[in-house]
Amino acid sequence: MNHNVESIDHEEDVYENIDSGERDLPLVVLGEMVIMPHMTVPLQVGQGKSTGAMEQAWDEDQEVLLIFVSEDEIEGYKSGEPQNIPPVGVIARLGEFVKLPDGTVRIILEGVVRAATGEVVQNEPFYRVRCTPVADRETIGIEVEALIDTVKQQFDEVVDYMGEMPQDAVAFVHRIDKPGHLADMVTYLPAFQFTERLEVLSKTDPVERLRKIYLLLARQLELLKLRQKIQQDTKEVLDQSQREYFLREQMRVIRRELGEDDEFDDPIDEMRRKIAELDAPEYVKDQATHELKRLAQQGMNSPELGVIRTYLDWITNLPWGEEALPDISISDAQNVLDEDHYGLEKVKERILEYLAVRKLAGSKMRSPILCFVGPPGVGKTSLGRSIARALDRKFVRSSLGGIRDEAEIRGHRRTYIGAMPGRVIQGMKTAKSRYPVYVLDEIDKVGQDFRGDPTSALLEVLDPEQNNAFSDHYLEIPYDLSQVIFIATANQIEPIPSPLRDRMEIIEIGGYTEDEKLGIAQGFLVPKQREFHGLEEKQFHIPDSAVVKLIREYTRESGVRNLERELASLCRKVARKVAAASDEGKVLSKYSVTEEDVSTYLGPERFSFGLMESEDEIGVATGVSVTAAGGDTLVIEVLPVRGKGVLQLTGQLGDVMKESAQAALSYARFRAAQFGIDPDYFETHNIHIHVPEGSVPKDGPSAGITLTTALISAMTGRPVRRDVAMTGEITLRGKVLPIGGLKEKTLAAHRAGIKTFILPKDNVKDIVDLPNKVREDLQLVPVTSMDEVLTIALTPLVA
């Protein structure tokens, strides 16, 4: 319904003598509007039962009964029998009823008198309701006159604040001398809500009605005065660029005046409360209070406003206080490590020793910085997570790979736009604890450029004697890192600068043997992937033989990361079969992946397993090397051809490896007579040394004896045994010097099916670190000279 109050009935004495008897009148249901007695309102309405009722009343020159309901309730009157008819309505007469071309009807309703509603006596084609007129009783007295004068005065004040009332309407209100009529007319003010007008309508006693109007006007006056006060308090921020601030200020003032400002605290008051509640040393609170004073002095448009607020947020959200740490149980810690990791006995033993010392020494112990070094996929990062679980501490991890800016560690000065703390402080905020286990991943991948050297910044973080007062450039106040358990991980130890390496205890984690990979797969990886893919234990079973096939022919790695990927691929194949069977109404309850299934699902084998060469060859020797992925075999080929004694080296060899080749050639020339080589051989032949996989850079001295063996084999025509691998540095006198990475190299030889492994005698001490399976399967032969190497590696000459 569209409505607009056009006029107010000026006939104060209309219907004073009203018949108070019951009558049955057509019912007109109006929405959220109220037409009081003595009020005339034009409306434009659509079709419906109420329109039919008014048309009948117009034709019969009859009155109608008006009731007023909310928009939610009005639908019930349109669709069914009315319920909960309000107890008080208004009897009205129709001043006009005109049907318009668009189907709507224009009417004028003139309120006559209140009526007490009764029962519904007719439902169709419109409602008819029994009602009884209720006329205002005559009231006189000084108290009534005083109340009338007070309400008129309030009315004038409200009009002055609102400024929206026509003067003739104000004058008309002043001429009213009856309390009930005055109360009805004052509800014409637009400040009143629908529910308030209904309350006034429902009061049949005129004096009580006027008292209600008095209270409503008093409330409206307070709200209007408060609104004016708010506008005065915030008028200095009325320009367009500060509208958002103005609205927030209005809301804050309103909440404060209503006593409901808990949710909308002033930001400075809220920050002051946070600082007071902060469990931190006094120097931290002093710094925060100093910055808070600066914040309070900033103007709204000050560029420093956001900088200071962000700084205070960091200070108040960092963990500063002491915490109660749970007791350390060595047996529980061992169970956790065994549950999470297969093998790694020496690593676990060192971790348990560390936990035992911490249990006994407590806070007196300066935490050593552990550094796990090993190829990818052997469980370095997950060991840190297991330590955190064993200690019941928070775990946080930061990857340092590729960072080249010192500010990544120490943070930026607050003078820079977008400044923020370094990764260490960010990690402490994430952990929400002063005692987390903090893993610094890929510490060997940290670089340096014109922005500084991040590894130098790590020196303070990882020094137990200095990190109790770590200085971040952003915070500019000391932060205690002494109780943090830092664990670094790296694939190789050589790229780590020696000062940083000196601050860490290196724990080497070698690659896994085939048996260890099998145990890890069946004990950890298969159950994990089975759960991830929604398979039951019987629905995915893979025997040991199939897992061994995966290890030998589909992966070549020190860790188990690719093995897990291949197992996940098999799980997906089986999951598809299970889902397809389910679509057909069947249940695939048991499925076992055989060796044949592995080839079917994953395609042809990717790597060949067994001896590196199919037969003994002349001028081809097998060496071993250490890479970022662990150990790997290295085939060295030597081919002498007619020429002028030129040495040619290919295969992306580094300077050290080239020098080893020069040393090998010099040794061969020196011992030419003993090996039966013509002295003129070196002037009449060019020597080409090649190391396959030419796209992969290679360097280091440990291939010295392999180069020499291949070179002498090519010159003498004696084949090199295919089941022999070797490592060691060569001198010009033929001495064999020790090398590093023996564990990785023996593991690579073991994976390749090598039977005999030649190593420097000085490396015998490292054999104890080799896995039992490797020591059992490999014949480890320590040597001191090149003569011993050649005796073992070269086959005898056939007469």
Side-chain angles (χ1 to χ4, degrees):
M1 294 185 179
N2 300 321
H3 65 276
N4 180 33
V5 177
E6 289 186 348
S7 62
I8 298 177
D9 194 344
H10 293 267
E11 298 177 9
E12 298 182 28
D13 299 323
V14 174
Y15 291 97
E16 286 187 348
N17 300 317
I18 296 175
D19 181 10
S20 60
E22 286 186 348
R23 61 184 75 178
D24 298 339
L25 294 179
L27 180 67
V28 176
V29 183
L30 297 181
E32 292 186 355
M33 62 172 295
V34 178
I35 299 176
M36 293 290 186
H38 311 290
M39 187 180 289
T40 301
V41 179
L43 296 173
Q44 188 169 328
V45 299
Q47 297 296 324
K49 285 191 174 184
S50 293
T51 306
M54 288 186 286
E55 185 175 5
Q56 182 70 23
W58 176 260
D59 292 339
E60 296 177 359
D61 195 19
Q62 188 183 16
E63 294 143 345
V64 294
L65 175 64
L66 307 179
I67 63 171
F68 315 96
V69 297
S70 67
E71 294 295 337
D72 294 334
E73 296 173 305
I74 199 170
E75 294 299 325
Y77 291 91
K78 293 179 180 179
S79 58
E81 186 174 342
Q83 297 177 354
N84 300 325
I85 292 179
V88 178
V90 173
I91 295 175
R93 66 186 179 189
L94 287 165
E96 183 179 292
F97 186 94
V98 179
K99 291 185 177 179
L100 300 176
D102 60 358
T104 60
V105 179
R106 186 177 68 225
I107 60 173
I108 294 178
L109 287 172
E110 301 173 3
V112 178
V113 67
R114 281 173 175 76
T117 60
E119 62 182 346
V120 178
V121 296
Q122 175 185 315
N123 288 334
E124 297 296 342
F126 52 83
Y127 301 118
R128 192 180 290 273
V129 176
R130 185 160 295 154
C131 60
T132 305
V134 182
D136 288 348
R137 60 182 176 82
E138 290 289 335
T139 53
I140 57 175
I142 297 176
E143 182 182 353
V144 174
E145 291 178 3
L147 186 58
I148 289 173
D149 291 339
T150 303
V151 168
K152 288 180 179 179
Q153 184 180 355
Q154 287 178 314
F155 177 83
D156 289 340
E157 291 185 40
V158 171
V159 170
D160 288 340
Y161 275 107
M162 297 181 64
E164 300 175 1
M165 184 67 68
Q167 289 302 313
D168 57 341
V170 175
F172 172 71
V173 170
H174 275 276
R175 292 198 300 270
I176 300 174
D177 57 0
K178 293 184 179 180
H181 190 188
L182 177 61
D184 290 343
M185 289 302 102
V186 170
T187 60
Y188 174 77
L189 282 170
F192 289 109
Q193 302 296 322
F194 169 69
T195 54
E196 295 170 334
R197 290 180 176 135
L198 275 186
E199 286 184 64
V200 174
L201 177 66
S202 63
K203 296 187 181 299
T204 56
D205 183 273
V207 178
E208 185 180 350
R209 194 186 313 152
L210 192 60
R211 287 197 182 99
K212 179 65 178 176
I213 284 294
Y214 166 77
L215 295 175
L216 291 175
L217 284 173
R219 180 176 177 276
Q220 286 296 329
L221 276 172
E222 288 300 318
L223 289 175
L224 290 169
K225 290 177 182 178
L226 180 59
R227 183 180 302 168
Q228 186 181 60
K229 181 176 181 295
I230 293 169
Q231 292 172 345
Q232 290 174 349
D233 290 343
T234 57
K235 64 183 179 180
E236 68 276 2
V237 290
L238 291 180
D239 57 277
Q240 186 66 24
S241 64
Q242 297 173 339
R243 288 188 64 185
E244 184 179 352
Y245 177 75
F246 166 68
L247 294 174
R248 287 201 181 103
E249 284 295 303
Q250 274 195 324
M251 184 164 56
R252 184 175 65 82
V253 174
I254 291 170
R255 290 284 180 175
R256 187 176 61 198
E257 294 294 337
L258 294 176
E260 300 175 358
D261 59 341
D262 292 343
E263 189 178 349
F264 295 90
D265 285 340
D266 182 272
I268 294 179
D269 293 338
E270 182 182 0
M271 190 61 69
R272 186 176 289 111
R273 176 180 57 79
K274 283 184 178 181
I275 294 172
E277 296 174 355
L278 188 63
D279 182 12
E282 284 303 316
Y283 66 87
V284 176
K285 290 189 174 183
D286 292 344
Q287 176 73 5
T289 304
H290 171 71
E291 293 295 329
L292 184 64
K293 290 178 181 177
R294 290 185 58 216
L295 179 65
Q297 295 169 0
Q298 302 300 315
M300 199 195 105
N301 291 323
S302 171
E304 285 289 308
L305 192 68
V307 174
I308 299 173
R309 184 174 294 177
T310 304
Y311 178 75
L312 288 173
D313 284 339
W314 273 101
I315 288 183
T316 54
N317 284 292
L318 278 172
W320 296 94
E322 300 292 333
E323 302 171 28
L325 293 175
D327 293 333
I328 299 173
S329 171
I330 302 300
S331 59
D332 290 347
Q334 184 165 6
N335 291 336
V336 168
L337 292 173
D338 289 339
E339 287 174 9
D340 293 351
H341 296 86
Y342 181 89
L344 304 179
E345 300 303 329
K346 290 197 173 183
V347 177
K348 292 178 183 177
E349 182 181 354
R350 176 62 187 91
I351 292 171
L352 292 173
E353 290 172 357
Y354 165 78
L355 298 180
V357 174
R358 177 168 284 278
K359 178 182 177 71
L360 298 177
S363 60
K364 292 183 284 187
M365 174 188 177
R366 290 290 187 185
S367 299
I369 311 301
L370 304 180
C371 181
F372 298 144
V373 179
V378 295
K380 300 183 295 297
T381 304
S382 59
L383 270 173
R385 189 175 284 107
S386 297
I387 293 172
R389 189 159 76 91
L391 290 173
D392 195 17
R393 291 198 186 193
K394 298 292 182 62
F395 174 80
V396 63
R397 169 186 169 275
S398 289
S399 178
L400 304 181
I403 68 169
R404 295 177 175 274
D405 188 355
E406 179 198 1
E408 293 279 353
I409 306 299
R410 288 191 178 276
H412 302 80
R413 300 283 182 188
R414 278 189 287 158
T415 52
Y416 293 99
I417 296 174
M420 60 190 306
R423 295 197 183 196
V424 176
I425 296 299
Q426 291 179 37
M428 298 303 295
K429 181 184 176 184
T430 302
K432 297 180 180 178
S433 168
R434 271 189 57 212
Y435 305 93
V437 174
Y438 201 131
V439 171
L440 297 169
D441 240 346
E442 312 292 352
I443 200 169
D444 58 327
K445 310 283 192 309
V446 178
Q448 58 178 311
D449 60 13
F450 64 92
R451 292 168 291 184
D453 183 4
T455 56
S456 299
L458 285 170
L459 295 177
E460 182 184 3
V461 176
L462 300 181
D463 191 338
E465 299 299 327
Q466 299 180 42
N467 63 11
N468 61 335
F470 173 66
S471 176
D472 185 273
H473 289 161
Y474 182 84
L475 288 184
E476 295 180 332
I477 48 178
Y479 191 87
D480 187 1
L481 297 173
S482 61
Q483 298 303 314
V484 179
I485 298 178
F486 283 105
I487 297 174
T489 71
N491 294 133
Q492 295 175 297
I493 197 170
E494 288 78 13
I496 304 175
S498 55
L500 185 58
R501 198 185 317 165
D502 183 61
R503 283 164 169 77
M504 300 187 294
E505 180 177 343
I506 306 298
I507 299 177
E508 294 192 6
I509 304 176
Y512 294 115
T513 64
E514 184 177 286
D515 289 347
E516 287 175 331
K517 288 184 179 181
L518 179 61
I520 293 170
Q522 296 290 30
F524 295 88
L525 304 183
V526 171
K528 175 183 173 183
Q529 291 302 322
R530 193 160 48 208
E531 180 182 355
F532 283 176
H533 291 81
L535 297 171
E536 298 178 3
E537 185 173 352
K538 292 182 178 179
Q539 289 176 327
F540 182 82
H541 173 263
I542 181 167
D544 291 351
S545 58
V547 176
V548 170
K549 185 178 180 70
L550 281 178
I551 296 170
R552 291 178 175 180
E553 300 177 4
Y554 291 87
T555 63
R556 178 167 290 174
E557 57 179 343
S558 295
V560 291
R561 196 165 284 157
N562 287 324
L563 177 59
E564 184 173 11
R565 292 192 185 103
E566 300 301 333
L567 287 170
S569 180
L570 292 177
C571 283
R572 290 195 297 272
K573 304 293 185 183
V574 176
R576 181 178 175 182
K577 287 183 175 291
V578 173
S582 177
D583 291 343
E584 297 173 2
K586 302 176 183 177
V587 177
L588 188 63
S589 59
K590 187 173 182 180
Y591 193 87
S592 180
V593 179
T594 63
E595 290 185 64
E596 292 74 18
D597 291 334
V598 171
S599 299
T600 303
Y601 292 150
L602 301 182
E605 63 182 42
R606 302 189 187 106
F607 305 100
S608 58
F609 175 81
L611 300 177
M612 289 305 300
E613 301 298 328
S614 58
E615 58 185 16
D616 300 344
E617 292 190 44
I618 297 173
V620 178
T622 303
V624 283
S625 63
V626 178
T627 67
D632 199 2
T633 55
L634 196 71
V635 177
I636 295 179
E637 302 173 339
V638 177
L639 183 65
V641 294
R642 288 285 180 179
K644 298 181 180 180
V646 177
L647 176 63
Q648 185 178 2
L649 303 171
T650 58
Q652 280 210 59
L653 307 186
D655 290 340
V656 177
M657 201 166 182
K658 289 178 180 177
E659 292 172 357
S660 294
Q662 294 281 359
L665 182 61
S666 297
Y667 172 75
R669 296 184 71 158
F670 177 70
R671 298 290 303 276
Q674 287 88 336
F675 296 139
I677 303 173
D678 186 352
D680 297 331
Y681 184 91
F682 300 97
E683 283 72 27
T684 59
H685 288 79
N686 291 340
I687 307 296
H688 186 173
I689 299 177
H690 177 67
V691 184
E693 294 188 43
S695 63
V696 180
K698 310 163 192 73
D699 201 6
S702 61
I705 65 172
T706 315
L707 285 163
T708 308
T709 301
L711 185 62
I712 292 175
S713 169
M715 292 178 177
T716 60
R718 295 174 63 184
V720 181
R721 288 172 53 189
R722 61 179 180 172
D723 61 346
V724 173
M726 61 195 76
T727 183
E729 183 178 354
I730 183 71
T731 70
L732 292 176
R733 296 172 296 163
K735 300 292 183 182
V736 179
L737 302 183
I739 44 80
L742 182 66
K743 183 176 181 181
E744 287 74 15
K745 293 176 178 179
T746 54
L747 283 172
H750 185 266
R751 280 197 302 271
I754 298 296
K755 301 301 181 183
T756 303
F757 189 86
I758 300 174
L759 69 155
K761 190 172 184 178
D762 289 342
N763 283 112
V764 170
K765 63 182 184 301
D766 300 322
I767 294 178
V768 69
D769 295 329
L770 303 183
N772 292 331
K773 182 68 174 175
V774 172
R775 284 186 283 177
E776 292 171 2
D777 293 350
L778 277 183
Q779 180 186 359
L780 301 171
V781 183
V783 296
T784 58
S785 69
M786 197 63 218
D787 291 336
E788 298 176 67
V789 175
L790 296 175
T791 301
I792 299 167
L794 298 182
T795 61
L797 282 173
V798 179

